[in-house]
């Protein structure tokens, strides 16, 4: 190889190395995991705010006689389809749904092995690992029969059309139950109420829950794909308006306790199965007349759900909506009386409200009383809580027809956001004591002291390894500890501890009982 060739070889080698490095860097980048779009982490110190909100809810709801129910996050897809409603945005396009497929079934094999694969499906259907539904059984029989005609395929190339049919049927096979991440929890509460026969319990069943919900919406401020709700439900044979008012009272007590300012309660009655259908038809007829002036969404809703048109936020639709017939003028006597009494019961409790005839809820199960609470600092996602009555839901899901229900769900993300916006920020966690120790004997003394301090309720940071004095106290500063307690040979010999207030450097030598007293004073 002459010099020129060597040069060339080196250049090629160099460029190959650069390419490889670039590729490695790209792989590295693609391996950096990030949370999935619309899902987020809630970190300290914000998480302390969340705990405070949830703890306060537990306390307030507890005083109203509510107990916690913990629910699964996955439910049968049909539960939501039936209760929330097939035509709603939530069920028609926002749910995270998948087939909960058995791991006992191997992945789909090459065509030659299809017959044994289908037999395997049959066995798993018998054992219950694959749903033995009517359609599945029929498909199975059909596949067996068709398989006899077309396999082994090498000998029957004329049967290719039937093979396409075979694969089509096979892919229509439901290999597991359809399950969904819950988009809301009322359906689950009602499912649990029925499943556990809670109608036999005395009085009203009063339950609250808190936890994540999932909807595949467009993420934006106050709107996430995993969001959190704190909700409560009252289930029982009575639909007394006093129950509606007390549920709302409980909610307002919580917001007061949390010092949420600017919360506005909107209420409405959307009638029941006696009067709403006629109103919906009246509304639909009126909407048909102005159809051309409406946006695409509202036009579609004239057919699917005219009530939802009232919910529209589109600027140019507002004047049109204002002139539409109002449900208040179309309520039957029973609904009108119920609504009037809800308002009187709210007055009795000194709860201010705004009547909002356009307040309809996006879930099918609501009837009569509906309400929503808006808060400040949230932009267009300003509803922190939605709720209402759902008297027919228990029956719809197969429970006793006599059970009525009412409840609400608070959007915890939005509630926390609103509290932050108004400066009701997270309470600083705060480190009371940084326990600096120097030397092996001091470490053992420090471990014992840390335990006694923590037992007394102090927040203590105990370094896991020995550090130089300056470095250790520097860390105490950066962790914003209120006091440093120093344990070294000198202190051990004297049976005392040195305590240093980090804000002004005040230093004292104290024995253990004096130390505890001093630190209690520092905390107050
Ligand atoms: P919106 O009109 O804001 O979409 P919604 O009518 O869909 O609300 P509900 O199903 O009644 O809301 O849920 C009750 C509360 O849950 C809402 O008032 C809101 O605070 C909260 N919430 C609903 N969807 C989300 C979401 N994607 N992200 C954060 N919070 C949400
Ligand atoms: Mg929504």
């Amino acid at each position: 190889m002459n010099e020129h060739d060597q040069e060339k070889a080196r250049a090629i080698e160099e460029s190959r190395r650069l390419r490889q490095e670039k590729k490695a860097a790209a792989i590295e980048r693609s391996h950096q995991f990030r949370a999935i779009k619309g899902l987020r982490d809630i970190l300290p110190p914000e998480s302390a705010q969340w705990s405070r909100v949830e703890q306060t809810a537990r306390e307030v709801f507890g005083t109203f006689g509510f107990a916690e129910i913990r629910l699964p996050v996955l439910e049968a897809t049909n539960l939501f389809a039936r209760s929330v409603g097939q035509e709603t945005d939530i069920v028609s396009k926002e749910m995270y749904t998948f087939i909960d497929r058995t791991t006992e079934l191997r992945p789909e094999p090459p065509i030659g092995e299809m017959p044994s694969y289908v037999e395997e499906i049959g066995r798993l259907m018998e054992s219950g690992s694959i749903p033995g539904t009517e359609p599945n059984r029929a498909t199975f029989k059909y596949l067996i029969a068709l398989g006899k005609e077309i396999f082994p395929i090498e000998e029957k190339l004329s049967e290719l059309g039937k093979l396409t049919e075979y694969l089509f049927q096979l892919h229509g096979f439901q290999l597991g139950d359809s399950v969904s991440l819950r988009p809301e929890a009322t359906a689950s509460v009602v499912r649990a109420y029925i499943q556990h026969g809670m109608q036999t319990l005395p009085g009203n069943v009063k339950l609250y829950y808190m936890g994540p919900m999932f909807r595949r919406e467009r993420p934006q401020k106050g709107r996430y794909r995993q969001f959190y709700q704190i909700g409560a439900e009252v289930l029982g044979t009575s639909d007394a308006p006093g129950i509606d008012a007390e549920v709302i009272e409980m909610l307002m007590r919580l917001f007061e306790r949390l010092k949420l300012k600017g919360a506005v309660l909107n209420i409405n009655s959307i009638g029941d199965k006696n009067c709403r259908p006629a109103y919906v038809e009246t509304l639909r007829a009126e909407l048909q007349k102005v159809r051309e002036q409406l946006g695409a969404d509202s036009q579609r809703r004239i057919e699917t759900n005219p009530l939802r048109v009232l919910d529209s936020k589109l600027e140019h639709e507002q004047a049109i909506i204002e002139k539409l017939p109002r449900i208040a003028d179309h309520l039957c006597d029973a609904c009108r009386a119920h609504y009037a009494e809800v308002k009187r019961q709210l007055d009795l409790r000194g709860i201010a409200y705004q009547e909002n005839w356009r307040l309809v809820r996006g879930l099918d199960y609501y009837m009569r009383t509906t309400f929503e609470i808006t808060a400040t600092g949230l932009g267009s996602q300003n509803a922190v809580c939605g709720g209402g009555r759902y008297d027919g839901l228990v029956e719809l899901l197969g429970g006793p027809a006599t059970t009525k229900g009412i409840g609400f769900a608070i959007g915890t993300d939005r509630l926390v956001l609103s509290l932050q916006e108004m400066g009701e920020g997270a309470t600083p966690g705060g480190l009371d004591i940084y326990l600096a120790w120097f030397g092996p004997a001091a470490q053992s003394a420090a471990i014992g002291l840390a335990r006694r301090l923590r037992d007394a309720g102090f927040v203590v940071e105990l370094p896991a390894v020995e550090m130089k004095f300056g470095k250790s106290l520097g860390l105490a500063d950066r962790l914003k500890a209120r006091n440093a307690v120093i344990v070294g040979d000198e202190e051990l010999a004297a049976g005392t501890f040195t305590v240093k207030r980090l804000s002004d450097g005040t230093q004292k030598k104290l024995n253990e009982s004096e130390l505890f007293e001093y630190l209690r004073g520092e905390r107050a």
Side-chain angles (χ1 to χ4, degrees):
M1 223 191 273
N2 64 28
E3 211 167 289
H4 177 73
D5 282 346
Q6 272 175 3
E7 181 99 346
K8 207 167 140 191
R10 263 202 301 278
I12 289 170
E13 176 61 22
E14 174 68 9
S15 90
R16 202 176 60 92
R17 195 181 59 77
L18 281 175
R19 262 205 317 277
Q20 258 172 4
E21 264 175 20
K22 234 172 147 178
K23 202 167 148 194
I27 290 171
E28 172 107 0
R29 270 199 305 279
S30 71
H31 282 195
Q32 274 173 5
F33 292 112
R34 301 184 62 83
I36 293 168
K37 183 176 175 190
L39 278 55
R40 65 198 184 121
D41 307 303
I42 292 152
L43 309 173
E46 194 191 326
S47 51
Q49 175 87 317
W50 281 71
S51 299
R52 183 177 79 94
V53 165
E54 289 173 350
Q55 187 50 35
T56 310
R58 289 178 193 285
E59 283 165 21
V60 173
F61 295 177
T63 62
F64 282 79
F66 281 67
E68 186 181 19
I69 181 167
R70 296 196 180 211
L71 300 157
V73 163
L74 274 181
E75 296 269 8
T77 302
N78 276 338
L79 174 66
F80 302 115
R82 182 91 64 84
S83 56
V84 176
Q86 193 76 57
E87 297 303 323
T88 58
D89 286 352
I90 294 177
V91 171
S92 68
K93 58 183 191 203
E94 294 172 359
M95 275 205 303
Y96 287 91
T97 297
F98 62 93
I99 299 294
D100 183 17
R101 186 182 190 278
T102 172
T103 51
E104 293 164 70
L105 184 68
R106 65 188 143 134
E108 202 177 294
I111 286 168
E113 292 167 39
M114 286 289 177
S116 72
Y117 180 69
V118 170
E119 276 165 24
E120 203 175 320
I121 290 178
R123 277 195 300 279
L124 290 171
M125 207 157 57
E126 285 316 310
S127 73
S129 292
I130 288 178
T133 56
E134 258 330 296
N136 267 1
R137 289 188 182 283
T139 306
F140 176 73
K141 263 197 192 145
Y142 182 64
L143 282 169
I144 292 291
L146 197 58
K148 292 210 171 95
E149 289 175 35
I150 58 176
F151 290 108
I153 199 78
E154 297 78 11
E155 296 164 16
K156 302 189 180 168
L157 286 176
S158 57
E159 308 287 358
L160 273 182
K162 285 188 182 163
L163 177 65
T164 313
E165 164 70 4
Y166 186 88
L167 292 176
F168 177 78
Q169 289 293 336
L170 185 61
H171 294 149
F173 216 101
Q174 199 197 325
L175 294 174
D177 297 310
S178 177
V179 296
S180 295
L181 286 172
R182 63 179 183 193
E184 60 107 49
T186 301
S188 304
V189 173
V190 171
R191 195 255 318 126
Y193 175 88
I194 298 167
Q195 183 177 335
H196 303 289
M198 290 192 230
Q199 71 271 15
T200 60
L201 296 173
N204 287 323
V205 173
K206 302 197 260 185
L207 299 166
Y208 72 86
Y209 60 83
M210 44 187 73
M213 309 293 155
F214 303 84
R215 296 181 195 175
R216 203 171 191 296
E217 306 190 70
R218 191 168 67 80
Q220 49 197 293
K221 181 183 174 189
R223 195 177 288 290
Y224 313 100
R225 290 178 172 181
Q226 175 176 335
F227 62 100
Y228 294 78
Q229 287 187 336
I230 299 173
E233 318 284 352
V234 181
L235 293 147
T237 49
S238 167
D239 62 358
I243 299 175
D244 307 37
E246 195 180 72
V247 161
I248 293 173
E249 180 186 5
M250 177 168 92
L251 197 50
M252 299 318 271
R253 275 305 293 147
L254 171 63
F255 289 158
E256 258 170 54
R257 281 275 295 273
L258 291 171
K259 301 199 179 68
L260 181 79
K261 291 184 217 77
V264 177
L265 168 66
N266 283 272
I267 62 168
N268 192 20
S269 172
I270 56 170
D272 64 6
K273 58 179 185 295
N274 296 317
C275 52
R276 190 169 43 189
Y279 168 70
V280 170
E281 282 321 310
T282 309
L283 185 63
R284 184 176 275 142
E286 288 305 308
L287 285 168
Q288 289 293 9
K289 293 182 195 160
V290 293
R291 180 180 200 101
E292 295 313 312
Q293 300 161 50
L294 298 171
D297 276 346
S298 293
Q299 287 199 7
R300 187 164 37 80
R301 289 184 172 138
I302 297 178
E303 273 81 48
T304 58
N305 192 350
L307 282 177
R308 290 288 287 173
V309 177
L310 304 181
D311 216 16
S312 160
K313 309 257 178 343
L314 283 185
E315 196 61 49
H316 82 273
E317 291 184 345
Q318 301 308 310
I320 305 165
I321 293 171
E322 276 307 306
K323 296 198 204 84
L324 291 169
R326 304 182 172 204
I327 183 126
D329 305 325
H330 296 262
L331 293 177
C332 60
D333 289 345
C335 284
R336 185 170 314 121
H338 191 274
Y339 187 36
E341 182 60 13
V342 169
K343 288 185 279 187
R344 197 183 74 86
Q345 289 283 336
L346 287 172
D347 293 339
L348 283 178
R349 290 168 171 80
I351 295 167
Y353 54 83
Q354 277 182 10
E355 287 185 71
N356 177 357
W357 73 277
R358 288 176 51 179
L359 178 68
V360 293
R361 315 265 330 126
L363 296 77
D364 281 1
Y365 51 63
Y366 284 117
M367 50 124 22
R368 287 194 173 168
T369 314
T370 55
F371 55 93
E372 190 167 274
I373 292 161
T374 55
T376 50
L378 295 172
S380 55
Q381 267 62 249
N382 66 351
V384 282
C385 176
R389 189 160 269 294
Y390 48 83
D391 291 346
L393 183 59
V394 174
E395 185 183 11
L396 183 73
L397 294 179
T402 45
T403 304
K404 319 255 181 3
I406 181 164
F408 62 78
I410 300 167
T412 318
D413 307 72
R414 292 185 197 174
L415 175 56
V416 169
L417 259 174
S418 184
L419 288 169
Q420 284 168 347
E421 296 279 334
M422 62 186 59
E424 285 295 325
T427 43
L431 178 57
D432 294 316
I433 297 146
Y434 181 91
L435 218 177
W437 54 271
F438 305 98
Q443 180 178 27
S444 130
I447 288 170
L449 179 62
R451 192 182 63 223
R452 293 188 294 280
L453 285 167
R454 285 168 178 153
D455 283 349
F458 292 103
V459 182
V460 179
E461 176 74 14
L462 179 70
V465 293
E466 188 168 358
M467 280 186 270
K468 291 233 159 52
F469 189 83
K471 198 172 164 206
S472 201
L473 279 253
L475 182 58
D477 253 335
R478 281 185 288 130
L479 291 175
K480 298 197 170 57
R482 271 188 280 283
N483 285 285
V485 171
I486 298 156
V487 194
D489 292 340
E490 202 182 303
E491 282 81 7
L492 283 180
T496 58
F497 301 99
T498 302
V499 56
K500 183 178 176 185
R501 189 191 290 140
L502 292 171
S503 57
D504 59 8
T506 311
Q507 202 160 311
K508 289 187 187 327
K509 273 198 192 326
L510 304 170
N511 68 27
E512 186 161 329
S513 68
E514 291 165 345
L515 176 73
F516 271 69
E517 199 168 315
Y518 176 79
L519 290 171
R520 278 197 198 98
E522 288 291 281
R523 193 163 54 175

